[in-house]
Amino acid sequence: IALCALGTSAQSSELGDLAAALQPGEWQEFPTSGFNSALLTQGSHHALQYQESMKWDPVDRKMHFVGSGHLEPYIHVVYDESTNSWGRRGLPSYFGDSHGYDHMAIDPVGRRFYFRQFNGDKLEVLNLDSGQWSRSATIAAGQWLVAGGLAWSPELEGVVFADSVQISLYKPAENRWSTITTNTAGLGEYHNFAEYSPVHQVTIYGGGNGSNTVYRIDANGNVDRMSDSPVGLGIHQSMVVADPISGNFLVFTDNSFYEYDPIADRWSRQSVSIPFGPGVDPGVIGASAAPISTHGVIMIVKYDGNDSRVYLYRHQAGVGEPPPSRPLPPEFN
């Protein structure tokens, strides 16, 4: 199959310049345009409530998240590296209202962004090239709860959906759901997470209310229970994100910061202080995180009205990855 590269890895930008200047273990506030109350506020609430993740598109160099305040309509928020600015995109009328949770996944090669609505029985699928939304097949009744975690796994060729009922896999090529495992011992019944590491080619999932349980899915779909986290995992307890250089997972809480090696199954507390202050809500509440593979750093955003802020963090020295390739259109094969 012929492949074509999308984008370049050497474009200069304010994001790239600051990322390149960061030393391992260093945080910096990142000035951007439009990340403010007008962008994020809905009624008396904001779109980063009950949410922990965003997703980076390394092809178009944009950050995406969908979220909402309590009982407010969903909004689709996008950061554009080329303009260093944030804005909203439209959503179909069938989108309801609730929160973003960890209900986002992205397949940059297949050019799809996935979102699950609160209590949703299907995935909302954004074509990143056309900007059009569509919907996945329906998850069978009784195989899901209202809030869980999503992660795209290239090796499994699908979206992992994890909650305390079961762990499911959606394969877009077949538009079909299947069950990975029904063993969810130790998981809380709400606010679970799922994150993928492209370096280690594993997905970890778990947590939920009152839980520090972690499971790992390897590239072959094998599931193992790992060592418990030293801190609670899931929305409003912590943020879990894969470092794009080391591939290890970083876990941020209100007052501590851990690194988790999913291959060695080892947790280690980090001495780096966490810069984001209380804002409207304390610590990780009202904050979301995402790896930026292009530049080898983590972006964290924190809501605080018109003092809302964006931060970059570099965990390990290294260079970012070039954008992925994808099959050429049929007329070029």
Side-chain angles (χ1 to χ4, degrees):
I1 300 175
L3 297 177
C4 65
L6 301 180
T8 65
S9 59
Q11 300 170 1
S12 176
S13 69
E14 292 165 275
L15 174 62
D17 291 347
L18 179 55
L22 289 175
Q23 299 300 307
E26 183 180 5
W27 294 82
Q28 286 287 342
E29 184 177 347
F30 176 45
T32 62
S33 173
F35 194 74
N36 52 32
S37 184
L39 175 77
L40 300 168
T41 299
Q42 303 158 280
S44 59
H45 302 280
H46 63 86
L48 288 171
Q49 288 181 322
Y50 289 93
Q51 180 165 314
E52 75 157 349
S53 66
M54 310 177 290
K55 298 301 171 185
W56 174 249
D57 176 6
V59 175
D60 285 341
R61 294 178 180 244
K62 292 180 171 64
M63 186 72 77
H64 293 259
F65 74 83
V66 175
S68 78
H70 185 61
L71 299 180
E72 301 286 351
Y74 283 114
I75 62 171
H76 177 196
V77 175
V78 178
Y79 165 77
D80 187 338
E81 180 180 353
S82 67
T83 61
N84 195 35
S85 64
W86 299 80
R88 293 190 187 187
R89 301 281 180 86
L91 289 171
S93 60
Y94 53 76
F95 271 69
D97 51 53
S98 191
H99 305 296
Y101 301 104
D102 194 27
H103 280 176
M104 280 157 272
I106 191 167
D107 171 13
V109 176
R111 310 300 298 134
R112 297 294 185 271
F113 171 81
Y114 297 92
F115 178 71
R116 179 182 180 243
Q117 297 195 56
F118 172 82
N119 204 26
D121 62 0
K122 56 183 66 68
L123 299 180
E124 315 299 346
V125 186
L126 172 65
N127 184 314
L128 291 164
D129 293 330
S130 71
Q132 298 300 306
W133 288 88
S134 60
R135 312 189 86 173
S136 77
T138 300
I139 312 171
Q143 296 182 356
W144 47 272
L145 291 177
V146 297
L150 292 187
W152 172 260
S153 169
E155 293 75 32
L156 301 182
E157 300 178 333
V159 179
V160 174
F161 171 39
D163 65 20
S164 61
V165 170
Q166 69 173 41
I167 314 306
S168 303
L169 179 69
Y170 172 69
K171 285 199 170 188
E174 304 169 6
N175 194 27
R176 183 176 65 87
W177 289 90
S178 61
T179 299
I180 296 176
T181 182
T182 57
N183 179 9
T184 59
L187 300 191
E189 293 186 355
Y190 213 87
H191 296 155
N192 309 103
F193 80 94
E195 297 295 335
Y196 171 76
S197 168
V199 175
H200 295 310
Q201 297 185 342
V202 300
T203 300
I204 64 169
Y205 67 87
N209 290 352
S211 172
N212 58 356
T213 299
V214 178
Y215 286 86
R216 182 187 68 193
I217 308 174
D218 68 17
N220 297 314
N222 300 310
V223 179
D224 294 292
R225 183 164 178 172
M226 312 303 284
S227 298
D228 285 354
S229 164
V231 294
L233 299 173
I235 313 304
H236 276 202
Q237 297 182 83
S238 59
M239 294 187 298
V240 183
V241 62
D243 174 48
I245 301 298
S246 69
N248 291 343
F249 294 95
L250 311 181
V251 180
F252 304 101
T253 73
D254 291 350
N255 52 23
S256 61
F257 168 26
Y258 287 83
E259 179 178 14
Y260 175 63
D261 182 334
I263 305 303
D265 191 22
R266 182 176 60 245
W267 292 90
S268 55
R269 183 161 185 165
Q270 305 298 291
S271 59
V272 179
S273 61
I274 301 173
F276 44 92
V280 172
D281 301 300
V284 298
I285 300 178
S288 290
I292 301 181
S293 57
T294 311
H295 302 296
V297 296
I298 305 293
M299 176 182 281
I300 291 183
V301 299
K302 172 72 174 180
Y303 176 78
D304 190 12
N306 281 327
D307 198 29
S308 298
R309 302 189 182 194
V310 181
Y311 300 90
L312 296 184
Y313 170 66
R314 178 174 294 282
H315 187 64
Q316 185 168 306
V319 297
E321 297 180 351
S325 298
R326 66 174 181 182
L328 285 166
E331 60 268 27
F332 292 99
N333 286 329

